[in-house]
Amino acid sequence: MNIALLRQRIKPWILPIAMVAGMLFHDFMEQIEFIAPYLIFIMLFITFCRVKPHEFRVTALSWSLLSVQIIGALALYFIIVPMSVDVAQGTFICVFCPTATAAPVITGMLGGSVPRLATFSIISNIAVALLAPVIFTLMGSDAGIPFSDALLTISAKVMPLIILPLVLALCLLKILPKVHRAVAEKQAVSFYIWAVSLFIVVGRAVSFIMDEPTEAIPEMIILAIFSGIVCCAQFWIGRKIGRRGGDKIAGAQGLGQKNTVLAIWMALTYLHPVSSVAPAAYVAWQNTINSTQLYFKMRRENSGM
């Protein structure tokens, strides 16, 4: 068996392995968790290099997916918040969170349109960068901070993390097109960076969960269940929207595959920390779906050889 074939067979299992490793070695995350935002930055930069300006076309599919992401997230929050603020925040972040930086990679492996999904990934991330500071401030995890101060603080941390990779990618295209092309051809790297990021943020979330009192367990179970429901719903809705837009795979991955690394980080940083259980569980749900899809795709390809 050659190395390329071995890598292809192992790839569907890399993310589950990273998650399990994060759970097992969660005690070591304090030493390395500071690199998570930098990994998110690099993943976004590599993804944004994939799309050239002439390929950046906002279609009806993009607007439909974005509407579900933003309006759907807020609707769920207001429906659930009378019952539990923590569950409402956890469910909200699982829908509001932008498309995963590795989603174009998975989409390509499944046979969908990579430029179309990469375009939506940019739109999805920009929307979150612009809206997250306002929404998180209004949710007010710390009522002692004035609205304007909280807004500026969150904006200073969230917006550069998402907007600067796009600006850097566009500048690189103009100044060093050969380097830009080389980065664009290394999309698979973002997949492995994502695996390392998952290892870190899952470990950090597990550490938090382990420190929670036993009376918080029922709420964490509810968060995990709600996370699974919205995960399955988003893949299903995205597939339905994508079918009408001409690419059911891009639709499903664009709405269902979330940047859970960013979601967990935002939940731990700006929302009630226990809400991070929802995106942490979402990691398991979405990677179970993706691993299953990749397994059956490769099985069909191997049977047709």
Side-chain angles (χ1 to χ4, degrees), residues 203-276:
R204 186 184 175 198
V206 168
S207 292
F208 170 78
I209 292 169
M210 296 287 285
D211 291 336
E212 284 293 288
T214 54
E215 52 266 27
I217 292 177
E219 185 177 47
M220 290 191 287
I221 292 174
I222 293 172
L223 280 162
I225 292 172
F226 273 58
S227 172
I229 292 171
V230 297
C231 179
C232 294
Q234 288 186 104
F235 271 99
W236 183 78
I237 294 171
R239 193 174 185 85
K240 291 290 184 182
I241 294 173
R243 183 177 285 114
R244 291 200 300 269
D247 195 329
K248 61 184 180 181
I249 295 174
Q253 297 304 131
L255 192 59
Q257 188 175 347
K258 298 294 189 177
N259 189 342
T260 46
V261 173
L262 180 62
I264 295 171
W265 178 76
M266 289 192 298
L268 288 170
T269 306
Y270 303 114
L271 304 177
H272 193 290
V274 77
S275 68
S276 67

Side-chain angles (χ1 to χ4, degrees), residues 5 37 62 66 118 127 141 147 174 211 252 266 297:
L5 182 58
S62 299
L66 188 63
S141 57
F147 177 86
K174 292 291 185 183
D211 291 336
M266 289 192 298
K297 173 87 167 37

Side-chain angles (χ1 to χ4, degrees), residues 40 106 296:
I40 295 170
I106 301 297
F296 283 110

Side-chain angles (χ1 to χ4, degrees), residues 33-71:
E33 66 179 4
F34 71 93
I35 69 172
Y38 299 101
L39 294 176
I40 295 170
F41 184 99
I42 294 170
M43 286 190 295
L44 287 171
F45 170 66
I46 295 174
T47 298
F48 293 159
C49 282
R50 185 66 181 261
V51 181
K52 297 176 182 176
H54 71 271
E55 293 178 328
F56 189 85
R57 286 179 298 202
V58 182
T59 64
L61 174 62
S62 299
W63 289 119
S64 297
L65 295 176
L66 188 63
S67 297
V68 175
Q69 177 187 332
I70 306 301
I71 299 174

